[in-house]
Amino acid sequence: MDRPAWAPEGVDITRPSPARMYDALLGGSHNFEIDRRAAAEGRRLVPDLPRLALSNRAFLRRAVRFLIDSGIRQFLDIGSGIPTAGNVHEVAQALDPSVRVLYVDIDPVAVTHSATILRGNDRAGAIEADLRKPDELLTRARATGLIDLDQPVGLLLVAVLHLLQDEERPRDMVAALRDAVAPGSYVAISHLSSAQRPDAATRIHEQSTSGVGIRFRDRAAITEMFTGWQPVDPGVVELPLWRPESERDLHETPGRSLGLAGVGYKA
């Protein structure tokens, strides 16, 4: 299997990556054949999976705009994946060029590509770190000089917590990050859910051969991740129903979304 010129040395191109699978579902070009196969398998099991990816990206954009309107001027995007059109720094800096954005991902391909497209932007950067090690992640974030944890921050955990298994305590990871950020901060979370379509979630869980561990959770489990945050209206809802701005945000039919999302505030 040939290694693309943009792929960092040492990256295993024989195993699919969630970040690169997501890129493939969005129609991106920074993925490997193994990622495209895994994405195709996902589409076979759930044909409208690309709509979920678009719905999730649309939620991210709306959440970023809401946080900008709420006074946030720095973003920590954890599990950021590979930035494609309409990513956080583009949306935020179009509204206020002074906004600072730090992308964080465990996939070195995502980090390398992020760093490439951010070259020349001194208010945005990317680091490799693991959400399961929040203290180490925050230390690396501080070291960049882009994020000041003594000031309110927009914490983005978009389509990442469902990659943590129950024994990895995703709720505790969110709590550790909450304790580290300043009052006035916000968190935006989206998460795959079995709430609306348990049949689709079961098919992916039981029939997928990609080896990527995805944990669908119910509404109660996802809502618990906002413990200690004040919920922002309309609370934890289906992806397309979180403050849609137009019909273009309705990539999925309400009542059939595979994801839930919400935003919380730290008083």
Side-chain angles (χ1 to χ4, degrees):
M1 186 179 297
D2 293 334
R3 177 181 296 275
W6 48 261
E9 289 298 327
V11 172
D12 185 353
I13 64 174
T14 66
R15 299 182 62 182
S17 149
R20 300 192 305 264
M21 288 169 60
Y22 185 57
D23 180 64
L25 287 170
L26 287 169
S29 60
H30 282 74
N31 48 73
F32 305 140
E33 177 63 25
I34 192 68
D35 305 306
R36 293 188 287 275
R37 289 179 187 171
E41 180 190 59
R43 288 194 298 271
R44 177 181 62 80
L45 295 173
V46 182
D48 54 348
L49 201 58
R51 288 185 175 274
L52 169 66
L54 291 170
S55 187
N56 186 71
R57 182 50 64 99
F59 162 72
L60 173 64
R61 290 194 292 266
R62 297 196 304 275
V64 168
R65 286 194 286 265
F66 170 78
L67 297 190
I68 289 287
D69 289 344
S70 301
I72 294 297
R73 290 300 180 268
Q74 55 175 352
F75 288 87
L76 185 59
D77 184 357
I78 300 175
S80 54
I82 299 173
T84 52
N87 48 53
V88 176
H89 75 279
E90 288 183 341
V91 174
Q93 292 178 347
L95 296 171
D96 184 340
S98 72
V99 171
R100 304 185 307 280
V101 178
L102 182 62
Y103 294 109
V104 182
D105 205 278
I106 197 172
D107 185 343
V109 170
V111 175
T112 297
H113 187 51
S114 299
T116 298
I117 69 171
L118 296 172
R119 194 171 294 143
N121 186 336
D122 61 1
R123 292 187 173 271
I127 60 172
E128 185 177 340
D130 188 341
L131 172 59
R132 296 167 297 185
K133 302 175 181 177
D135 291 342
E136 181 179 312
L137 185 156
L138 292 167
T139 296
R140 294 185 182 182
R142 287 188 189 95
T144 66
L146 281 171
I147 301 298
D148 180 359
L149 294 177
D150 294 327
Q151 298 297 321
V153 61
L155 180 62
L156 305 176
L157 295 166
V158 175
V160 64
L161 290 165
H162 51 237
L163 298 174
L164 272 59
Q165 301 306 303
D166 289 346
E167 60 270 22
E168 293 174 313
R169 309 186 319 277
R171 176 180 166 179
D172 290 350
M173 300 304 102
V174 179
L177 294 168
R178 181 199 66 222
D179 291 346
V181 298
S185 295
Y186 287 83
V187 65
I189 295 174
S190 67
H191 196 298
L192 288 178
S193 175
S194 56
Q196 286 73 240
R197 296 170 60 189
D199 57 330
T202 298
R203 282 200 303 276
I204 292 177
H205 179 70
E206 294 182 350
Q207 300 181 38
S208 175
T209 61
S210 69
V212 176
I214 296 176
R215 182 73 170 86
F216 286 79
R217 294 186 169 94
D218 60 22
R219 184 181 299 272
I222 296 169
T223 301
E224 283 183 356
M225 294 178 183
F226 288 93
T227 298
W229 302 87
Q230 293 184 2
V232 170
D233 286 340
V236 176
V237 296
E238 292 180 66
L239 278 166
L241 297 182
W242 195 89
R243 300 189 175 218
E245 296 169 351
S246 72
E247 289 188 0
R248 291 179 299 175
D249 287 334
L250 301 181
H251 297 286
E252 298 176 286
T253 303
R256 289 186 54 78
S257 177
L258 278 167
L260 295 176
V263 172
Y265 172 75
K266 180 175 178 177

